[in-house]
Amino acid sequence: MSYEPKFIDCRDCGKNFEFTVGEQEFYAEKGLSSEPTRCVDCRRAKKAAASSRGGRGGFGGDRGYGRDGGDREGGYNRDRGYGGDRRDRPYGGDRGYERPPRQDFEATCDQCKSACTVPFRPTGERPVLCRDCFRSKRE
């Protein structure tokens, strides 16, 4: 395939930069389908900013996926996980939905033959144990 130099406006600084034939061949070789949107200087600045946060180049933008994490909304904190305090949000985060109610299925314990409910659909491929038999087997 034949490439020709392209000129693109940088999305950060607005400077017009050249997308060279060599860069286009590199993008094609790596399977990158979109053209760059930032000039070389702005790409370096973005990578340096991500690197100083502890993240990988460009991953996560400014959403706080770096090592310090928990001080920004959306960051990771060892005690709180992702997204800050979860107590005021349903099902562990701001996902916009509630956890569906757990569905239990009627079954017969293969060990003691008593009726029980299990949180999975018994298929017969594996033994089904009631809570008491399951606990005694684990110990």
Side-chain angles (χ1 to χ4, degrees):
M1 181 172 199
S2 177
Y3 297 103
E4 292 184 23
K6 294 182 181 180
F7 291 91
I8 303 170
D9 292 329
C10 177
R11 69 189 272 183
D12 289 348
C13 69
K15 184 174 81 174
N16 195 294
F17 68 94
E18 182 180 2
F19 186 34
T20 65
V21 172
E23 289 173 321
Q24 291 177 49
E25 290 171 348
F26 175 80
Y27 272 57
E29 179 183 316
K30 298 295 181 188
L32 303 171
S33 58
S34 58
E35 299 175 345
T37 57
R38 292 180 175 87
C39 67
V40 175
D41 294 334
C42 290
R43 278 185 260 167
R44 283 189 189 128
K46 182 173 168 47
K47 284 184 181 182
S51 167
S52 69
R53 284 195 317 262
R56 293 182 353 178
F59 177 71
D62 59 352
R63 289 183 281 167
Y65 290 104
R67 289 186 185 134
D68 56 347
D71 62 341
R72 291 186 298 271
E73 180 65 31
Y76 182 78
N77 179 288
R78 187 182 328 186
D79 299 323
R80 295 178 298 172
Y82 288 101
D85 192 358
R86 295 190 203 201
R87 286 175 284 190
D88 59 345
R89 292 189 218 150
Y91 188 36
D94 191 15
R95 297 185 185 130
Y97 64 91
E98 295 281 337
R99 175 180 238 165
R102 188 172 102 175
Q103 186 176 7
D104 288 330
F105 297 91
E106 298 289 324
T108 303
C109 176
D110 288 336
Q111 196 167 0
C112 70
K113 306 297 182 205
S114 66
C116 61
T117 59
V118 291
F120 57 90
R121 185 179 309 251
T123 62
E125 293 177 19
R126 296 177 145 188
V128 175
L129 301 176
C130 65
R131 283 195 174 135
D132 294 333
C133 293
F134 181 76
R135 284 188 187 133
S136 66
K137 187 173 182 173
R138 280 180 76 183
E139 294 173 350

